[in-house]
Amino acid sequence: LAVPQCRASRTLTPADASRLDTWALHHQWQGTDYGSLLIDSGGLLARHGVARYAAEHAPEALAELVDRLGYAALAFGEADLGDPRALVLARARALRARGVPLLATNLRCEESAAELCEVLVTGEDGVPLHRHGDETLAVLSYLEPAAAQRVGPDRMEGLRIEPLGASIGHGVRAAREAGATVVIAIIDAGYGAGAVAAAVNAMEGLSAAEKPDLVISTEAGSQLLFARPVDFRPAFVAAPTRSAATVRVRRNLENQRLDILAQPAEPADPAPPFQSFVGRVGR
């Protein structure tokens, strides 16, 4: 989010990620018939010292940044799961107060961790839907069960991650039944090409009605931007590492298939909300 300077009157400067044009595109398209949907595939507010400091001392500043940037939703990825529970709760509560859902579709909480699931959007809370023009989009977010071993038992206390295949099939069916015409599944299943392979394997055996239209792979961006399997659905997209991708979705009116194209986001001037965040948290 920002780079510490800590000299003279300077404290923080916006990081390179603040120069992506997703903010400008979102606000440019917001009032159009087709609109835009700005989502994070996981870890936006984790892993980084500035974000951790803000989560502890000014979580509302993080939530304000996310809200003003125009995010419709954030995925709860392995990076988020690996953060200390107190920081996760502080961020999630601030985001919920702003009306920004933190999606963890296949995460389940026992009574000892109930306070976490109260501020996340899990599969037990229903399907988040977003209306854009003639389409109704559903966004679901999945963690690989093996993440439980990678983050350690203290981070998983009171939590359970449901198997990918069954939970994806159930979530997509529920989304279709709720009226979704486009289903997006964010899947955090490791790194690089292996992440996509894990996502593909998870959907083996699922019927066409149980497969999403688009899969966003959280950590495959070092080796993949855009791909399609031989049976056409779903399309796979991964944002370049520490960057963003613009995904254009159109419906072919002749065969009703979705034409999907992904491109790296272009650099631009730092989005104004970053400047406000830097000024507030830097002090």
Side-chain angles (χ1 to χ4, degrees), residues 141-167:
S141 177
Y142 297 94
L143 282 160
E144 182 184 34
Q149 281 73 50
R150 292 193 288 265
V151 300
D154 59 325
R155 302 295 197 256
M156 287 300 300
E157 185 176 355
L159 302 178
R160 183 180 81 258
I161 302 174
E162 296 191 330
L164 274 180
S167 53

Side-chain angles (χ1 to χ4, degrees), residues 130-257:
H130 305 267
R131 185 73 182 175
H132 287 277
D134 295 330
E135 305 287 351
T136 300
L137 283 68
V139 184
L140 310 169
S141 177
Y142 297 94
L143 282 160
E144 182 184 34
Q149 281 73 50
R150 292 193 288 265
V151 300
D154 59 325
R155 302 295 197 256
M156 287 300 300
E157 185 176 355
L159 302 178
R160 183 180 81 258
I161 302 174
E162 296 191 330
L164 274 180
S167 53
I168 291 172
H170 176 78
V172 172
R173 284 196 309 272
R176 304 282 187 206
E177 291 168 2
T181 57
V182 179
V183 180
I184 301 168
I186 302 168
I187 302 179
D188 193 345
Y191 295 86
V196 177
V200 172
N201 292 337
M203 282 179 279
E204 283 190 7
L206 296 182
S207 67
E210 295 173 318
K211 291 181 179 180
D213 300 292
L214 171 64
V215 168
I216 299 177
S217 181
T218 300
E219 295 283 4
S222 61
Q223 294 182 289
L224 175 84
L225 174 68
F226 179 56
R228 278 196 185 279
V230 292
D231 59 357
F232 198 76
R233 286 182 58 243
F236 288 84
V237 170
T241 304
R242 292 183 298 278
S243 187
T246 299
V247 185
R248 300 178 187 274
V249 180
R250 300 185 306 170
R251 186 171 297 281
N252 187 316
L253 297 181
E254 291 186 5
N255 59 24
Q256 289 302 303
R257 284 183 169 181

Side-chain angles (χ1 to χ4, degrees), residues 13 45 52 64 91 94 105 149 166 168 188 221 227-228 236 239 260:
T13 56
L45 304 181
R52 289 189 178 206
E64 179 184 4
R91 292 195 302 252
T105 306
Q149 281 73 50
I168 291 172
D188 193 345
R228 278 196 185 279
F236 288 84
I260 298 174

